[in-house]
Amino acid sequence: MKLKQSLALLCMLMFSQTVLAETESEWNYPMQPGESVWSIAHELLTDWREWKTIERLNNISNDRQMLPGTVLKIPRSLIKERQSDITILDVSGTVTAQVVMNDGTVKAHLPLVRGQGLGQGDQIKTSPQSSVLLEFDDGTQVLILENSLLKIRQATVVGSKRKVIDIKVFLEEGEAEIRANPAKVPGSQFLIDTPVAFATTKGTTYRVRAKGSNTAAEVVEGKIGVENNLGGTTVSQGYGTLAKADMPPAKPTKLLSAPELPDLSAPIQYLPSKLVWSELKDAAKYRGQISPDKLFTAIVYDSVSDQPKMGLPSSLQDKSYWLRVRAISEEGLQGFSSVQEITIDARPFPPVRQAPRPSDSIYSGEVEFVWSRPELADRFQVDIAKDEHFETLALQESDISDTRFTANIMEPGDYYWRVTSVTSQGKVGPLGFAGEFTVKPVPAKPELQAPVSSENEMFFSWNTEPDIKYYQLQFASDQEFNDILVDKNTDKAELAIDKPQPGTYYIRVRAFDADDYAGEWTAPQQVEQPIENWWPLIFSGAATLLLIL
């Protein structure tokens, strides 16, 4: 067992050290256990009789003494190879490509769609919150994540039976998740290069991120070689390494364990929303990803946070998703993932409450409620209660087609209200969020006392009411108060006015509270101002009579 592991490690190291040394005229092939130059020639060459050329070029005297992993230099002119089929299995968000056409012309910014094919020389760019999944002939899959730029430098199928794949890609910026050579075809090669280092493997699952002068690689399954011109290292399953410009790849470190997620089996009914999980020791950040499928062939939402939580955007549709969460170390290496299925059932969304607001001054009587109309909402249900849990409803009105409703609320006090959307098919959405409002009593109507007159003034008074800021008194010559003679405010329950001329008058009073809200006017009260001195009238009448005579 140890011998097999040592041979595999030797094979990987020799492969990683030589794979970038290839030229356009030569192909480097690491020998597999049990192979000979003769068998290699029959599988990989256009003419098996060129096996002697391979022996001569590599100075081989006895190929039976050669160890597995020995790299053979084979002229490309002798190799039986064709372009690999590269298929887009899935696209999420906005992904474009710069594509090399059959006639050699280049077309840029072409949108990629599922089922489309790509080839050597094509360059792929993913936008924020976007991803694309590529598959090669041998089943190798590459998931390119958001904000990435990746070029397919080489993708060929070598040989006739085994479908040996020779793949080289360049990740200029961003991130890729690789599942290389899942069938473990001997001799297949996958290399992902970055501006700082390159990673090589013959059959494993791993992640590579390139950002500026840093490259990170983490192995989920198998092992990879990571190298640059200053050195290299082998990264085993459960470990990761960092490579920086002008430095060899760092010694691999163990990846952080998977965070512990809470039970998320209950449907998520409100968007946007937030998921929270337990804090993990040694974690500097956390990454949460959402995919429509358990294998994460597409990423519809990607989030990094300093805290053990992530937001869920309102763009998520009502269906089942898979959540993947992992911790990030101080160095930037991402650990193992916790995966759990979640279900979104948030539509139709609750309306946005517009009025009344908690700060509004509302008085007993008609109260108007106003809200928005969310997408898919055909009608609404309004609940009004005296408690925030809506255990005892003061009013419930269903089948409201408009986005406003007027209720008659006479009892003062604190109230809560919510609006729930209903689709045209009758699907009731999540209960609306509760809003609070207070109904105040209308300022009480004063009770006028009989007026009292002095020599020069007429004095009015009424009963004092609590929570009254001031009163308004109007004195008019007509019952409709079209001819107002006196209009005064007073903070006391009394007011004196100059005594009017003799005649019939009308008075009314109303109260204002601290919000300057006016109560009802008292009923107009008739006031008679009698003639107190008849002598002026007698003399005036006599004078008038003499003039007539």
Side-chain angles (χ1 to χ4, degrees):
M1 183 67 178
K2 291 184 178 180
L3 177 60
K4 288 184 178 180
Q5 291 176 343
S6 299
L7 290 175
L9 179 59
L10 175 63
C11 179
M12 174 168 291
L13 288 174
M14 296 185 69
F15 166 57
S16 64
Q17 291 169 354
T18 58
V19 69
L20 275 192
E22 295 180 14
T23 66
E24 293 182 359
S25 60
E26 289 183 346
W27 184 58
N28 293 329
Y29 177 74
M31 295 183 66
Q32 305 302 308
E35 282 190 326
S36 65
V37 174
W38 174 271
S39 64
I40 291 172
H42 276 76
E43 170 61 26
L44 303 180
L45 304 186
T46 55
D47 185 351
W48 63 270
R49 290 169 294 188
E50 294 289 349
W51 65 274
K52 292 184 178 180
T53 303
I54 298 175
E55 283 193 334
R56 183 173 63 255
L57 182 63
N58 292 274
N59 297 317
I60 298 173
S61 57
N62 186 353
D63 59 358
R64 294 185 179 183
Q65 296 180 353
M66 299 176 67
L67 293 174
T70 302
V71 177
L72 300 179
K73 293 182 178 180
I74 304 175
R76 280 204 175 268
S77 58
L78 303 180
I79 292 175
K80 183 189 302 180
E81 65 179 332
R82 61 173 175 81
Q83 295 294 313
S84 171
D85 293 327
I86 308 171
T87 305
I88 298 175
L89 294 185
D90 209 339
V91 177
S92 177
T94 302
V95 183
T96 58
Q98 179 175 290
V99 177
V100 179
M101 309 303 289
N102 292 333
D103 59 2
T105 59
V106 177
K107 290 189 176 182
H109 311 301
L110 294 179
L112 296 184
V113 295
R114 185 179 300 178
Q116 185 177 344
L118 294 172
Q120 288 186 173
D122 294 347
Q123 184 169 272
I124 302 161
K125 184 177 182 180
T126 58
S127 300
Q129 300 299 339
S130 302
S131 66
V132 59
L133 180 65
L134 312 182
E135 185 174 63
F136 297 81
D137 276 86
D138 65 342
T140 292
Q141 294 183 353
V142 179
L143 179 65
I144 307 171
L145 282 77
E146 65 172 351
N147 301 317
S148 297
L149 185 62
L150 182 140
K151 183 175 183 179
I152 302 170
R153 283 181 169 170
Q154 182 173 314
T156 58
V157 180
V158 181
S160 56
K161 296 179 181 178
R162 290 194 316 224
K163 282 194 173 181
V164 175
I165 299 294
D166 188 12
I167 303 170
K168 296 182 181 66
V169 298
F170 177 65
L171 182 63
E172 183 175 327
E173 181 77 13
E175 182 174 6
E177 296 182 2
I178 301 105
R179 182 170 176 258
N181 190 17
K184 302 293 190 293
V185 177
S188 285
Q189 305 172 2
F190 185 92
L191 179 145
I192 181 167
D193 193 13
T194 72
V196 175
F198 65 92
T200 58
T201 183
K202 297 191 300 176
T204 189
T205 303
Y206 61 108
R207 308 184 293 253
V208 174
R209 288 186 305 282
K211 185 175 182 180
S213 59
N214 297 306
T215 291
E218 298 132 6
V219 179
V220 178
E221 179 183 335
K223 62 178 58 140
I224 62 173
V226 178
E227 260 189 78
N228 58 21
N229 57 0
L230 296 176
T233 186
T234 299
V235 186
S236 301
Q237 179 173 319
Y239 286 79
T241 186
L242 294 170
K244 299 182 179 182
D246 303 324
M247 294 179 64
K251 179 182 177 181
T253 57
K254 193 173 183 178
L255 301 180
L256 293 176
S257 58
E260 183 177 348
L261 296 178
D263 180 13
L264 299 173
S265 57
I268 296 169
Q269 293 191 304
Y270 296 96
L271 293 178
S273 184
K274 182 173 64 177
L275 299 180
V276 181
W277 54 86
S278 301
E279 189 172 356
L280 187 67
K281 184 182 178 182
D282 298 326
K285 295 181 179 181
Y286 300 86
R287 186 174 190 179
Q289 297 173 315
I290 294 177
S291 174
D293 64 276
K294 191 175 183 178
L295 296 178
F296 283 79
T297 59
I299 306 295
V300 298
Y301 186 67
D302 203 333
S303 170
V304 175
S305 172
D306 294 336
Q307 303 297 322
K309 61 184 179 181
M310 71 177 293
L312 297 179
S314 56
S315 58
L316 293 176
Q317 299 302 305
D318 283 6
K319 63 178 185 177
S320 293
Y321 291 94
W322 288 88
L323 168 70
R324 181 168 70 182
V325 176
R326 50 183 177 249
I328 304 174
S329 68
E330 288 283 356
E331 297 76 21
L333 290 176
Q334 299 185 13
F336 287 101
S337 301
S338 284
V339 177
Q340 190 171 150
E341 188 176 15
I342 60 173
T343 300
I344 306 294
D345 185 18
R347 289 169 176 79
F349 290 148
V352 176
R353 291 173 286 99
Q354 297 175 346
R357 297 170 297 179
S359 59
D360 290 345
S361 294
I362 302 168
Y363 291 84
S364 299
E366 291 188 346
V367 180
E368 186 176 46
F369 299 86
V370 185
W371 57 87
S372 67
R373 184 184 295 275
E375 182 184 7
L376 303 179
D378 178 69
R379 56 189 186 275
F380 306 94
Q381 174 180 303
V382 174
D383 299 325
I384 302 174
K386 293 281 286 183
D387 63 289
E388 60 182 327
H389 300 295
F390 291 82
E391 293 176 351
T392 305
L393 292 178
L395 184 147
Q396 182 179 77
E397 189 72 24
S398 303
D399 205 27
I400 303 173
S401 58
D402 199 359
T403 56
R404 59 182 61 238
F405 170 71
T406 300
N408 195 27
I409 303 177
M410 299 306 299
E411 183 182 351
D414 295 329
Y415 288 86
Y416 297 85
W417 72 292
R418 65 189 180 194
V419 185
T420 302
S421 300
V422 183
T423 68
S424 57
Q425 291 77 32
K427 182 178 185 294
V428 180
L431 292 173
F433 297 102
E436 186 177 2
F437 66 97
T438 300
V439 174
K440 301 178 181 179
V442 175
K445 186 190 302 184
E447 294 182 11
L448 278 167
Q449 308 296 322
V452 177
S453 296
S454 66
E455 183 178 354
N456 299 315
E457 292 182 317
M458 183 176 286
F459 184 80
F460 301 95
S461 64
W462 49 88
N463 61 303
T464 302
E465 298 290 345
D467 302 320
I468 298 302
K469 182 179 179 182
Y470 63 94
Y471 302 89
Q472 181 184 11
L473 179 145
Q474 289 184 344
F475 187 80
S477 61
D478 64 305
Q479 193 171 358
E480 289 75 27
F481 285 81
N482 293 322
D483 183 20
I484 297 175
L485 303 177
V486 176
D487 190 343
K488 288 187 176 182
N489 295 339
T490 176
D491 58 359
K492 295 182 174 60
E494 59 185 18
L495 185 68
I497 66 172
D498 293 336
K499 184 180 292 186
Q501 294 296 319
T504 301
Y505 299 93
Y506 297 89
I507 184 176
R508 64 182 183 182
V509 177
R510 63 178 177 179
F512 287 79
D513 67 5
D515 295 324
D516 292 327
Y517 186 85
E520 291 184 64
W521 288 107
T522 59
Q525 181 172 321
Q526 184 174 312
V527 177
E528 296 289 343
Q529 174 58 40
I531 299 174
E532 297 177 349
N533 187 353
W534 290 93
W535 289 112
L537 290 178
I538 293 172
F539 286 123
S540 175
T544 303
L545 181 61
L546 290 173
L547 289 174
I548 293 174
L549 294 175

